[in-house]
Amino acid sequence: MNAMRLTGSAPSLRRHAVWTQDRSWGRPGHVAVEICTENAEGVRLSARAGADRAELCDNLAAGGTTPSIGSVEAAVLAAAEEIAQRRALAGRHWLTSPAAHPLGLRVMIRPRGGGFVFSSDEGRAMVADVRRIAALAREMSEYTRPQPAGSAGQPLPPAVELGFVVGVLTEEHTIDRGLLRLLVDTADGAPITFNKALDETRDLAEAYGDLGGLGVSAVLTSGGAPTALEGAEVLRGLVAAGGPTVIAAGTVRPENTAQVIEATGAREIHMRCSVRGLTPGEPQRTDESLVRLAVEAAHAIAV
């Protein structure tokens, strides 16, 4: 998509102090687990079960679309409540424990199901959604921004690290650079994950190499294959190449978590942990016990 076709839809935003400027509370070598959810309850259960991030979508039956602004606000509050509880249980020295780590919350920006080639109208809708959610994050800064320390020292980490998940392609199945830049610029410094649209590009390795220079911090991918295990060789090559963080996705389940991590070399995985037996037309509720199994499997892997 030509960026000029969207002129006027993405006003410049004043930069605010955001979490990406200080990751001192991160956990080097930690295998991160991201859970795909359809509602705030799923975000809450993912946090309670020890997941590192939750991806919030609507309509998972169509592959995930943009949730409502109300759903995003409810998810931030749910995550913040769970992180506050985690920190309270850790006691007065929580800042030196894993409890210090915020819950990552990634919001899907996708106006419809289907492919990843979007019209100008759809692109404007995506930019508008990012702008409004970024504004919401500023309004909820007590949860989404580092907080002043009680005494001289580093700011306290936020409870929630809010970011976005996008995937935009041209009709030639290359990265839609113009639209992606608009989305990144509108995100107000929030981390951007490029979704599995990467697996539909005509040259996956080339597209991956482009994304780092376009402001993308992570990619969701199965290496162009139907599953992460089938695309393990490609995923291992992307990890070795260096660039945006590779998040292995594609039929990753609690029971194959260790196998996927070992085969791909990825240090981050993405999966659904929906209650089993649900039909596609039913709300995809998250099963907390399945999230715990995935987290336990990931944490059991040696650094």
Side-chain angles (χ1 to χ4, degrees), residues 1-10 111-112 115-128 167-183 194 214:
M1 175 176 291
N2 189 322
M4 293 302 293
R5 293 163 63 191
L6 292 174
T7 298
S9 63
R112 54 161 173 76
F116 298 97
V117 180
F118 298 107
S119 69
S120 294
D121 289 335
E122 291 169 331
R124 291 189 181 102
M126 296 170 77
V127 171
V168 292
L169 303 178
T170 67
E171 292 182 358
E172 293 74 32
H173 283 249
T174 60
I175 304 299
D176 188 334
R177 292 167 174 265
L179 179 52
L180 181 56
R181 284 194 181 100
L182 280 172
L183 293 168
F194 198 87
L214 293 169

Side-chain angles (χ1 to χ4, degrees), residues 40-41 43-49 72-90 99 101-103 105 140 142-144 158-161:
E41 180 193 46
V43 173
R44 181 184 298 280
L45 295 177
S46 297
R48 189 176 297 170
V72 177
E73 181 170 339
V76 170
L77 292 172
E81 288 171 356
E82 292 301 319
I83 295 303
Q85 178 68 11
R86 182 190 301 176
R87 290 171 177 175
L89 291 173
H101 201 276
L103 181 81
L105 179 61
M140 303 182 77
E142 63 187 294
Y143 309 116
T144 63
V160 182
E161 182 200 53

Side-chain angles (χ1 to χ4, degrees), residues 19-52:
W19 54 86
T20 49
Q21 294 174 353
D22 183 1
R23 291 296 189 84
S24 59
W25 51 81
R27 291 172 281 179
H30 174 75
V31 176
V33 177
E34 179 177 277
I35 305 299
C36 186
T37 71
E38 201 174 64
N39 47 48
E41 180 193 46
V43 173
R44 181 184 298 280
L45 295 177
S46 297
R48 189 176 297 170
D52 299 275

Side-chain angles (χ1 to χ4, degrees), residues 19-20 23 34-37 43 52-57 67 72 75 101-109 133 160-166 190-193 217-218 220 247 268 270:
W19 54 86
T20 49
R23 291 296 189 84
E34 179 177 277
I35 305 299
C36 186
T37 71
V43 173
D52 299 275
R53 283 193 305 274
E55 179 188 277
L56 179 65
C57 308
V72 177
H101 201 276
L103 181 81
L105 179 61
R106 300 293 183 264
V107 181
M108 172 68 79
I109 302 297
I133 294 169
V160 182
E161 182 200 53
L162 194 146
F164 299 97
V165 181
V166 304
I192 302 290
T193 298
S217 59
L220 281 168
I247 307 174
E268 304 203 7
H270 170 99

